[in-house]
Amino acid sequence: MKFFKFMVEAQFLKQTIKFIGKLLAPLRKAIDWAIAFPFRFLLCHTSKVQNNKILFTTFNHLYSCNPKDICEEILRQDLPVEMVWVVTNPQMKAGNAEEDFPENMKLVVRGTYEFFKAQATAKVWVDNAFNCTWNPFPKKKEQFYIQNWHGSLGLKRIGKENVKNLRWSASAWLNGRYVDVCVSNSTFETDVYRQTHWPKNKILELGHARNDIFFADDATKAAIKAKVLQYYRIPEDAKIALYAPTFRADNADVFDLDHSRLLDALQSRFGGEWVLLNRYHFKTKNGVGGRSADLRILSATDYPDIQELMVASDVGITDYSSWIYDFMLTGRPGFLYVPDLKEYDQSRGFYYPLSETPFPYAETNDEMIEKVLSFDRRTYAAKHAEFMKARGCVEQGTAAKQIVELIKKQCGLA
């Protein structure tokens, strides 16, 4: 029938060529990549480095995480530099509206000529993952690469033997050879760096710039909370629970937390009226996080900066995501819902057992409700202090300033 349809529509040859093209697509891509690298090499070495130019990139390409807060400190100091941010969508800028970026920020789309030109000419690369090595590109000796990893005290292992993705492993290998400085927030993270992709790189234990927000004055934090409340039209006297699980490489359907029962339990244990911000990882593709009949449950997946959501939240809930270890700096209750605990540990692996964290954890909804209802603040506070001390956390709220001082030296501004 398709043959007849194509013949009638005069599309037989067109559709045949399209089919053959799909079969040859992997080969075409490999050939294009092989051709591209010498031209990227030529672009790199015929482009002059600009001492006042800084390239920022994040793993989700949003104006977020450590690069955002480093950028904000540069703006506060009004430094005479050109800043370039890598995005993926030229219209909506990777989920942010264009106006969400600083007014003088230049945006370039990943993978374009403009992107590679910016990478070739920037004096400093500011990254929070393997973004600057994801597309193989040379780095000149006079360029300076700062690795500000998006995790910190987290559970998930990040070694090449734990993440079974060939491109990820290749990018990690190249990253270890390009990075000039890794920024750490603890002796624990420093050890992770040393044991994985950066065994000989310089490491500075400064804290993470994204966590300076938790050390801000009360007025600043109140303004951030007011911004979140207004964004979601949440009443001022409501309490907020943030649920933000990580993704699964196999896209497993494990996001079955009973939000309504959870909110009822939070109300029973802590009092007040509660809403839940439901935030899923940008790599999650199985359609979770849609509308709910319970009006207390709001989708927060598209909100650009999770640190702001943490400031506004009274309780944090995740599974294995490292953001909960940033949330620890608020001192507020945190919980882990881990229905696939054994499977995840076997496939990805943990740096330490969940029992060493201060967070009560549950593998079923019934168990989760019980953990919330029986939450003890004194026990949590004691385990929290013990955990932070054991891992040598150095967060003081001054990371962005110290990193910007490092950038100023590289740009000849100090």
Side-chain angles (χ1 to χ4, degrees), residues 138-210:
K139 171 179 171 286
K140 294 189 279 285
K141 289 183 179 179
E142 62 266 36
Q143 294 181 301
F144 196 79
Y145 188 0
I146 306 175
Q147 178 58 260
N148 302 270
W149 195 250
H150 57 277
S152 57
L153 302 169
L155 283 164
K156 296 187 295 184
R157 290 185 176 272
I158 63 169
K160 62 181 180 180
E161 68 277 8
N162 308 114
V163 182
K164 299 173 177 62
N165 181 298
L166 290 177
R167 187 175 181 186
W168 195 91
S169 296
S171 299
W173 177 86
L174 191 60
N175 209 267
R177 281 144 186 81
Y178 277 8
V179 164
D180 294 286
V181 168
C182 291
V183 178
S184 168
N185 80 333
S186 59
T187 54
F188 169 82
E189 189 175 33
T190 296
D191 289 342
V192 170
Y193 284 152
R194 287 281 180 245
Q195 295 166 17
T196 55
H197 313 295
W198 304 276
K200 297 181 181 179
N201 305 68
K202 185 176 182 179
I203 299 174
L204 298 178
E205 293 183 358
L206 307 176
H208 286 308
R210 66 176 184 268

Side-chain angles (χ1 to χ4, degrees), residues 171-411:
S171 299
W173 177 86
L174 191 60
N175 209 267
R177 281 144 186 81
Y178 277 8
V179 164
D180 294 286
V181 168
C182 291
V183 178
S184 168
N185 80 333
S186 59
T187 54
F188 169 82
E189 189 175 33
T190 296
D191 289 342
V192 170
Y193 284 152
R194 287 281 180 245
Q195 295 166 17
T196 55
H197 313 295
W198 304 276
K200 297 181 181 179
N201 305 68
K202 185 176 182 179
I203 299 174
L204 298 178
E205 293 183 358
L206 307 176
H208 286 308
R210 66 176 184 268
N211 289 336
D212 291 351
I213 194 171
F214 301 120
F215 296 85
D217 57 61
D218 291 342
T220 299
K221 287 187 283 190
I224 293 170
K225 181 166 185 176
K227 175 185 175 183
V228 173
L229 293 176
Q230 182 179 13
Y231 186 91
Y232 289 105
R233 298 180 181 178
I234 299 171
E236 291 185 7
D237 58 348
K239 294 184 178 180
I240 299 174
L242 174 61
Y243 174 53
T246 191
F247 74 102
R248 304 299 192 277
D250 59 0
N251 210 25
D253 186 12
V254 295
F255 306 108
D256 64 342
L257 179 64
D258 191 327
H259 302 142
S260 297
R261 286 184 66 197
L262 172 65
L263 287 171
D264 291 341
L266 289 169
Q267 181 176 344
S268 177
R269 171 61 185 85
F270 300 105
E273 298 295 326
W274 285 76
V275 297
L276 185 139
L277 297 182
N278 213 19
R279 182 183 179 87
Y280 290 96
H281 195 282
F282 78 101
K283 288 185 178 180
T284 299
K285 300 177 181 178
N286 61 353
V288 297
R291 290 183 177 274
S292 171
D294 191 332
L295 298 179
R296 299 174 298 171
I297 302 166
L298 306 172
S299 175
T301 299
D302 293 331
Y303 194 89
D305 192 346
I306 193 173
Q307 306 303 112
E308 292 184 357
L309 298 182
M310 286 188 236
V311 169
S313 297
D314 299 279
V315 162
I317 306 159
T318 189
D319 42 21
Y320 318 108
S321 181
S322 62
W323 71 264
I324 199 73
Y325 300 93
D326 292 351
F327 186 73
M328 287 179 67
L329 296 170
T330 68
R332 299 168 196 157
F335 299 88
L336 306 180
Y337 179 63
V338 288
D340 59 341
L341 176 58
K342 294 178 182 177
E343 294 86 348
Y344 197 93
D345 191 14
Q346 290 173 358
S347 63
R348 181 66 181 259
F350 300 141
Y351 283 112
Y352 47 85
L354 266 64
S355 57
E356 290 187 11
T357 78
F359 310 118
Y361 64 94
E363 297 183 58
T364 67
N365 274 290
D366 288 343
E367 192 177 2
M368 184 69 181
I369 300 306
E370 188 276 326
K371 296 291 184 180
V372 171
L373 294 175
S374 63
F375 180 80
D376 183 81
R377 289 188 181 275
R378 289 187 178 180
T379 300
Y380 180 77
K383 292 188 69 174
H384 176 285
E386 180 183 350
F387 181 89
M388 298 290 268
K389 181 179 179 181
R391 278 147 187 82
C393 183
V394 299
E395 298 281 10
Q396 296 291 329
T398 60
K401 290 181 180 179
Q402 295 183 78
I403 295 167
V404 170
E405 287 303 310
L406 180 63
I407 291 173
K408 286 163 66 174
K409 289 180 182 179
Q410 295 303 317
C411 294

Side-chain angles (χ1 to χ4, degrees), residues 9-159:
E9 295 176 351
Q11 294 194 56
F12 174 75
L13 190 58
K14 179 181 177 180
Q15 295 295 334
T16 302
I17 291 172
K18 185 186 293 186
F19 177 70
I20 294 173
K22 287 182 179 179
L23 293 177
L24 296 178
L27 178 61
R28 179 202 60 75
K29 190 172 183 179
I31 292 172
D32 278 346
W33 273 60
I35 293 172
F37 191 76
F39 282 89
R40 292 174 187 173
F41 184 89
L42 182 64
L43 174 64
C44 175
H45 291 283
T46 56
S47 301
K48 186 177 180 180
V49 172
Q50 299 173 26
N51 286 335
N52 70 331
K53 191 171 186 176
I54 307 169
L55 180 76
F56 295 90
T57 180
T58 61
F59 67 84
N60 58 6
H61 309 111
L62 300 177
Y63 188 56
S64 62
C65 200
N66 296 308
K68 171 189 174 181
D69 291 280
I70 294 168
C71 175
E72 291 291 314
E73 180 60 29
I74 289 173
L75 292 172
R76 274 191 287 271
Q77 296 189 27
D78 195 23
L79 300 181
V81 296
E82 177 185 355
M83 297 187 289
V84 181
W85 198 284
V86 182
V87 298
T88 55
N89 186 307
Q91 278 75 46
M92 289 304 295
K93 314 303 178 190
N96 291 96
E98 186 170 357
E99 58 267 23
D100 289 339
F101 286 89
E103 187 176 344
N104 59 344
M105 179 74 75
K106 180 180 179 181
L107 307 180
V108 296
V109 178
R110 174 171 293 283
T112 62
Y113 176 85
E114 291 74 19
F115 160 71
F116 290 114
K117 184 70 173 179
Q119 197 166 359
T121 55
K123 175 66 175 181
V124 178
W125 299 351
V126 178
D127 197 354
N128 77 338
F130 301 139
N131 301 298
C132 290
T133 54
W134 192 250
N135 296 292
F137 191 79
K139 171 179 171 286
K140 294 189 279 285
K141 289 183 179 179
E142 62 266 36
Q143 294 181 301
F144 196 79
Y145 188 0
I146 306 175
Q147 178 58 260
N148 302 270
W149 195 250
H150 57 277
S152 57
L153 302 169
L155 283 164
K156 296 187 295 184
R157 290 185 176 272
I158 63 169

